[in-house]
């Protein structure tokens, strides 16, 4: 079941990935709610206090708070590589007062089916992209791999190990 969020004028001020969700769609004509916001807005940060995501969300909330009539309040819901915050947000009312900061780890978890019955791209509505991460692929100098096409060719002939960095640390 597709869940929708209210795209409000607030989203025009946003520039990183925030998504909204709920179990019950709610809006007025044109998708905007008159007089929004009437209460504080909760921005769920699905990682721990002091993390890079938390630091970014708090700075962004400070910027938003200069533009909104009600405060945007970061709320940390750490655990499960971001899945605890995802689940928390999923269970909230769809009234425009709960936003979720997402990271590439959420998209990866969604593709891998880690969210159980929650499907990020089906159950949440993207509101804004605020940040774009740079990804880099590298190999040891003595690997014999000269470029990406060579990596693909070698990967077809034999298993290749890889690792990366995630919010939870190294992954392999």
């Amino acid at each position: 079941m597709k869940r929708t969020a209210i795209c409000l004028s607030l989203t025009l001020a946003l520039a990183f990935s925030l998504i909204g969700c709920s179990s019950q769609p709610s809006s007025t004509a044109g998708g905007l709610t008159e007089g929004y916001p009437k209460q504080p807005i909760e921005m769920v940060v699905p990682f721990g206090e002091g993390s890079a995501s938390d630091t970014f969300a708090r700075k962004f909330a400070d910027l938003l708070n200069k533009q909104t009539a009600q405060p945007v309040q970061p709320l940390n819901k750490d655990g499960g590589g971001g899945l605890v915050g995802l689940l928390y947000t999923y269970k909230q009312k769809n009234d425009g007062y709960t936003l979720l900061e997402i990271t590439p780890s959420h998209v990866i978890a969604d593709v891998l089916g880690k969210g159980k019955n929650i499907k990020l791209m089906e159950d949440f509505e993207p509101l804004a992209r605020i940040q774009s991460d740079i990804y880099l692929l590298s190999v040891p100098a003595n690997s014999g791999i000269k470029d990406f096409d060579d990596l693909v060719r070698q990967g077809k002939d034999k298993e290749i190990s890889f690792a990366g960095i995630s919010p939870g640390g190294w992954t392999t």
Side-chain angles (χ1 to χ4, degrees):
M1 170 197 242
K2 173 121 177 158
R3 301 180 192 273
T4 58
I6 303 169
C7 288
L8 304 159
S9 59
L10 172 64
T11 61
L12 297 176
L14 301 179
F16 79 98
S17 292
L18 288 178
I19 58 176
C21 133
S22 180
S23 56
Q24 301 165 19
S26 117
S27 66
T28 61
L32 299 176
T33 302
E34 192 173 317
Y36 176 87
K38 294 180 181 180
Q39 66 188 49
I41 300 165
E42 189 174 83
M43 183 191 318
V44 178
V45 181
F47 301 102
E49 292 181 20
S51 66
S53 292
D54 176 64
T55 302
F56 184 86
R58 289 181 186 281
K59 185 61 177 171
F60 192 73
D62 287 345
L63 295 171
L64 288 176
N65 286 334
K66 294 176 183 175
Q67 305 294 320
T68 59
Q70 293 288 328
V72 176
Q73 301 172 328
L75 173 67
N76 295 85
K77 292 289 182 179
D78 191 18
L83 295 177
V84 170
L86 178 83
L87 179 61
Y88 172 83
T89 307
Y90 179 80
K91 292 180 177 181
Q92 303 309 302
K93 287 174 43 179
N94 185 18
D95 59 4
Y97 291 97
T98 305
L99 303 173
L100 173 66
E101 176 193 33
I102 66 164
T103 67
S105 61
H106 290 98
V107 177
I108 293 167
D110 194 47
V111 169
L112 296 176
K114 300 290 185 182
K116 301 199 184 226
N117 295 327
I118 301 173
K119 302 295 180 202
L120 177 70
M121 299 314 290
E122 294 174 20
D123 296 329
F124 290 82
E125 184 69 30
L127 299 178
R129 185 175 98 189
I130 298 172
Q131 174 180 323
S132 181
D133 291 334
I134 297 171
Y135 291 91
L136 181 68
L137 182 61
S138 62
V139 297
N142 64 355
S143 70
I145 297 171
K146 303 301 178 207
D147 57 29
F148 184 75
D149 291 332
D150 194 26
L151 173 69
V152 171
R153 275 191 298 279
Q154 288 191 34
K156 289 180 180 179
D157 294 337
K158 63 181 179 180
E159 185 175 305
I160 296 177
S161 297
F162 66 94
I165 298 175
S166 72
W170 286 98
T171 58
T172 56

